[in-house]
Amino acid sequence: MLQTSPDEVPAPAPDEEARGCLFALSQPPLMIFLGLIGTLLMMGAVHDLFLD
């Protein structure tokens, strides 16, 4: 376990902008957009494979 002395200050929490990719993917507008793009790609693939 990491040993620290009692007078050390803990590291500050990350800023709002430094949360990373997993936080960005948890946002509903982005997931709706990605779902829409995925649905359009899937519909195109199904059309090319089975209906053409």
Side-chain angles (χ1 to χ4, degrees):
M1 186 167 169
L2 182 64
Q3 298 292 328
T4 58
S5 62
D7 59 345
E8 287 185 19
V9 179
D15 294 336
E16 291 291 324
E17 296 179 8
R19 290 187 180 183
C21 185
L22 290 178
F23 177 75
L25 285 177
S26 69
Q27 301 304 307
L30 178 61
M31 294 308 293
I32 291 170
F33 173 73
L34 292 177
L36 178 65
I37 297 299
T39 301
L40 292 174
L41 288 172
M42 185 63 69
M43 288 173 55
V46 167
H47 181 268
D48 283 345
L49 287 173
F50 300 114
L51 301 176
D52 200 13

